[in-house]
Amino acid sequence: MADFNGEDGYSGPATLSLSVPTLPSSASQTPEPAAPRDAPPATPRADTLDLRVTVDLRGYFQPIDGRYHWHGRIAAHDGLSAALASGRSTATISTPHGSASCEIADPDPWNRYRITGTSTPPFPSAFATGESTAAITDTPRRASLPSHTRIAIIGSGFGGLGAAIRLRQNGITDFVIFERASSVGGTWRDNTYPGCACDVPSHLYSFSFAPNPLWSRSFSRQPEIRAYLEDVTDRYALRRHLRFDTEVTDVRWDTANSRWNLRTSRGDLAADIVISAAGPLADPSLPDVPGLDGFRGEVFHSSRWNHDYDLTGKRVAVIGTGASAIQIVPEIQPRVARLTLFQRTPAWVLPRRDRRITAAERWLYRHVPPTQRVARLGIYAVRESTVGAFVKRPALLKSAQRLALQNLNTAVADPELRSKLTPSYIMGCKRILLSNDFYPALARPNVDVVASGLAKVDGSTLISQDGTAVEADVIVLATGFHAIDVPIANHVYGVDGKTLAEAWQGDMRALRGTTVAGFPNLCLVIGPNTGLGHNSMVHIIESQLRYIVDYVKTLDRFGVAALDPRPDAQERWCDDIERRMTPTVWNIGGCASWYLNAAGRNPTLWPASTIRFRRETRSIDVDEYHLVPTGGSAR
């Protein structure tokens, strides 16, 4: 029986039509006569093979490219396996709801083939039925700006949307969300590279107050996370607060009026409070490589993927071996002519325990919500139990190292390549990565690993630090983001007229990771020392949101215009973090990572449990703040 899931998707029977070459039979008793020597080449013949299959499909409209993307799996089918083996093919899939072109590829160990398509899905959806997508693509994009708002929120990723939801839930509705792009989603809107997915389990990578019972996999891919953020935007009626295509370019504290003056790409306004949720993964970090600007081919960063450029048959160089690179490489390797990976430092890679969430589980999560809360709690507890190894006893990570080495040894037979890919530092010192297909992709004949960073570019030749020269048509920069020098800090001016970047001087510091001395009524979501190496950042975000809501309520409770962190309170907080950071794997693990700044200090990660962080941000301690009266001085 066909089943439309109630989400954008379909599970049930379908007809798959694909073209297969007509091969001459070796058993033929009457072979065809040979063609004359001067005859034109015969046109290859192909037959259409129609197969009755069972599919599980789902998809989402992506405003970033204006197309509908859908994907899924075809249940194991002997006829399809015989026709395709491990190859790929274009086909047409037909369900009771319609037909659509698609691509079939990548069978899993159970011979279930992956199916993908763009636009006009073969199942009911707003896109397929011709309904307006205005609710998805935002109606308030061009709404006028107010001259004043109580709270200005910068960014509409997890942090910005979460802040807006928590404010509304507490009866605070005078706020505006400024988004420089044309839709919500933050990093999950910007990163659309092949294979983009989350390395935190789906149930944990979502708001506790806004669960999604319809996750299709235990580790969600980018389209689903993006769709989830679109969904919570509608679920909590945030569209009216959003201003898209509006970049905040200047934020200055007005001491005389105890408020912030904001300049945006669409006009100016004032705000009593600014919540910066721009995030540390918002702006790509581009390497300063001599000659890169003169490269003769195509260059793009992983977070700005050029979907209009076809990589098929190209010589592609991927720079970096972080979380993005290990997802990109397996996706593009089968279709490029040559892939060269430039690796400065190998990563520890553990198997990715990903699986499809069954229809029965989704039904249970939707109709018996406590079951999903229990599942989330179990995942959280398992992740949280590892914090001691990261922050106190890194030696405990050796068992995980052995598992990672087994993962490497199983996938890579070449001892020279294994040596290049084997880290020499303690696991956890750099971000631990999850993948089942990264190592197998690197072992393919059309892939080379250069165990050295990119030093310079000369025309179409890439030269590594060890002198290796490689020709390339395309450079993919999987080089990360401005995480320790967030660009928004250059645009926020505090009490003394200095920017946040000038106040930090390359060393980010904040009280409880959220507020900064000299910048009254400025709250940071995912501020200094709030990152995690072991659990979900959404948990940290929710802790900060509770602190920020209490911050707003404290202003009302005391009848003051602003709160400004006391420098001594901020210093005590940061000194305690520094003390706790000393025995962590990030300090003693023997690696250089993006967690560290130029001074060798770690301003990014939280060196304790998420439980402790929630306790430390339970509420505002007014003794840590100067209370600023209306029109008063913040000092």
Side-chain angles (χ1 to χ4, degrees):
M1 177 178 175
D3 174 33
F4 173 52
N5 297 327
E7 58 176 325
D8 275 9
Y10 168 80
S11 295
T15 300
L16 184 71
S17 300
L18 67 159
S19 296
V20 294
T22 302
L23 301 177
S25 171
S26 60
S28 174
Q29 299 298 317
T30 56
E32 296 181 5
R37 291 186 179 183
D38 57 350
T43 301
R45 291 185 297 160
D47 286 342
T48 299
L49 180 64
D50 291 331
L51 301 172
R52 292 290 292 170
V53 297
T54 300
V55 296
D56 187 7
L57 308 174
R58 57 191 41 81
Y60 307 97
F61 178 79
Q62 288 202 55
I64 194 169
D65 62 6
R67 297 191 298 175
Y68 195 97
H69 295 250
W70 53 275
H71 60 92
R73 285 286 181 186
I74 302 174
H77 189 288
D78 291 341
L80 183 59
S81 299
L84 289 187
S86 60
R88 63 176 62 215
S89 177
T90 56
T92 299
I93 187 76
S94 300
T95 75
H97 303 285
S99 301
S101 299
C102 60
E103 183 174 271
I104 312 296
D106 306 326
D108 64 16
W110 299 274
N111 282 326
R112 300 175 303 186
Y113 279 78
R114 186 181 179 203
I115 180 171
T116 56
T118 56
S119 298
T120 316
F123 47 78
S125 70
F127 186 92
T129 57
E131 296 176 12
S132 170
T133 57
I136 300 176
T137 57
D138 68 83
T139 53
R141 178 181 290 116
R142 301 309 304 175
S144 61
L145 299 183
S147 60
H148 174 273
T149 184
R150 189 177 189 204
I151 303 172
I153 301 172
I154 304 173
S156 66
F158 267 100
L161 295 178
I165 293 168
R166 282 310 201 195
L167 289 173
R168 283 185 61 87
Q169 288 176 332
N170 283 272
I172 304 166
T173 58
D174 184 6
F175 63 86
V176 177
I177 310 168
F178 296 97
E179 173 53 60
R180 65 184 179 183
S182 300
S183 57
V184 302
T187 189
W188 295 105
R189 174 199 60 236
D190 297 340
N191 286 269
T192 60
Y193 60 78
C196 183
C198 189
D199 56 7
V200 174
S202 302
H203 294 311
L204 203 56
Y205 201 75
S206 49
F207 294 120
S208 63
F209 50 81
N212 176 21
L214 301 176
W215 292 121
S216 67
R217 304 198 66 82
S218 52
F219 288 89
S220 297
R221 291 179 176 254
Q222 175 266 341
E224 275 195 283
I225 301 173
R226 169 76 183 282
Y228 168 74
L229 293 174
E230 293 279 2
D231 173 66
V232 297
T233 300
D234 293 324
R235 199 188 311 181
Y236 291 94
L238 301 182
R239 300 281 174 192
R240 70 191 72 171
H241 298 279
L242 281 155
R243 298 298 182 272
F244 292 109
D245 303 315
T246 308
E247 183 172 8
V248 177
T249 57
D250 192 271
V251 183
R252 293 179 185 266
W253 178 251
D254 179 355
T255 300
N257 296 295
S258 298
R259 67 185 188 184
W260 290 99
N261 292 325
L262 285 73
R263 177 168 296 171
T264 80
S265 58
R266 292 183 51 219
D268 301 344
L269 74 157
D272 300 332
I273 303 165
V274 171
I275 299 174
S276 176
L281 305 182
D283 295 275
S285 176
L286 304 178
D288 184 15
V289 176
L292 182 59
D293 57 349
F295 179 65
R296 295 173 182 169
E298 185 76 12
V299 182
F300 48 85
H301 190 272
S302 58
S303 66
R304 304 292 187 268
W305 195 270
N306 184 356
H307 291 279
D308 294 328
Y309 188 85
D310 186 5
L311 297 178
T312 303
K314 299 295 193 299
R315 299 168 299 177
V316 180
V318 177
I319 315 301
T321 50
S324 299
I326 71 160
Q327 295 178 346
I328 292 169
V329 167
E331 289 289 323
I332 67 173
Q333 174 270 319
R335 55 193 173 100
V336 304
R338 197 85 202 160
L339 191 153
T340 303
L341 181 68
F342 284 80
Q343 168 193 272
R344 286 191 303 179
T345 309
W348 285 107
V349 182
L350 289 170
R352 184 184 183 88
R353 306 300 187 191
D354 189 24
R355 68 173 182 86
R356 177 180 174 274
I357 296 175
T358 66
E361 289 174 291
R362 295 198 302 272
W363 183 94
L364 192 63
Y365 295 148
R366 181 190 292 180
H367 294 92
V368 190
T371 59
Q372 188 174 21
R373 290 197 290 272
V374 170
R376 176 188 174 97
L377 180 61
I379 297 168
Y380 169 80
V382 169
R383 291 254 170 169
E384 194 67 6
S385 67
T386 65
V387 66
F390 286 88
V391 303
K392 290 184 178 179
R393 300 181 62 188
L396 294 175
L397 292 163
K398 288 185 177 179
S399 59
Q401 284 188 191
R402 288 193 291 270
L403 180 59
L405 287 174
Q406 180 182 351
N407 185 37
L408 171 60
N409 293 336
T410 300
V412 179
D414 180 6
E416 182 179 352
L417 179 57
R418 279 205 309 266
S419 178
K420 290 181 180 180
L421 299 174
T422 303
S424 59
Y425 55 88
I426 299 174
M427 175 180 278
C429 182
K430 292 170 70 75
R431 183 174 176 179
I432 300 173
L433 306 180
L434 305 178
S435 178
N436 298 327
D437 49 12
F438 178 58
Y439 287 149
L442 296 184
R444 301 299 297 170
N446 67 329
V447 178
D448 295 309
V449 176
V450 176
S452 180
L454 180 62
K456 64 179 180 178
V457 177
D458 183 6
S460 61
T461 304
L462 281 62
I463 303 171
S464 70
Q465 292 171 348
D466 67 2
T468 302
V470 176
E471 294 294 314
D473 304 308
V474 188
I475 298 177
V476 176
L477 300 172
T479 47
F481 300 85
H482 287 279
I484 59 174
D485 56 345
V486 288
I488 190 69
N490 295 300
H491 304 282
V492 181
Y493 295 79
V495 171
D496 296 332
K498 294 181 178 179
T499 66
L500 189 55
E502 290 171 334
W504 279 339
Q505 295 183 335
D507 191 13
M508 300 188 302
R509 291 174 181 269
L511 174 61
R512 303 186 186 275
T514 310
T515 56
V516 182
F519 294 81
N521 284 9
L522 173 68
C523 298
L524 308 176
V525 181
I526 314 183
N529 291 113
T530 58
L532 293 176
H534 72 288
N535 216 322
S536 172
M537 277 304 302
V538 179
H539 194 279
I540 289 288
I541 289 172
E542 289 193 27
S543 297
Q544 286 192 282
L545 298 182
R546 182 171 61 174
Y547 188 78
I548 291 170
V549 168
D550 192 58
Y551 185 105
V552 177
K553 290 182 175 181
T554 300
L555 293 175
D556 294 338
R557 191 164 58 247
F558 284 84
V560 295
L563 298 175
D564 187 13
R566 294 178 179 272
D568 59 326
Q570 180 173 299
E571 185 176 356
R572 283 195 303 272
W573 173 263
C574 293
D575 286 347
D576 183 61
I577 285 181
E578 195 68 17
R579 179 180 60 80
R580 292 179 177 278
M581 194 69 73
T582 301
T584 66
V585 69
W586 309 304
N587 271 26
I588 67 173
C591 73
S593 72
W594 62 265
Y595 300 145
L596 308 179
N597 60 21
R601 200 181 79 83
N602 189 331
T604 56
L605 297 180
W606 169 244
S609 68
T610 61
I611 296 171
R612 183 183 182 91
F613 186 82
R614 180 149 294 187
R615 186 171 65 247
E616 298 283 7
T617 55
R618 181 174 55 250
S619 60
I620 293 292
D621 179 358
V622 293
D623 291 336
E624 293 184 329
Y625 288 88
H626 291 293
L627 305 183
V628 183
T630 301
S633 172
R635 292 297 190 187

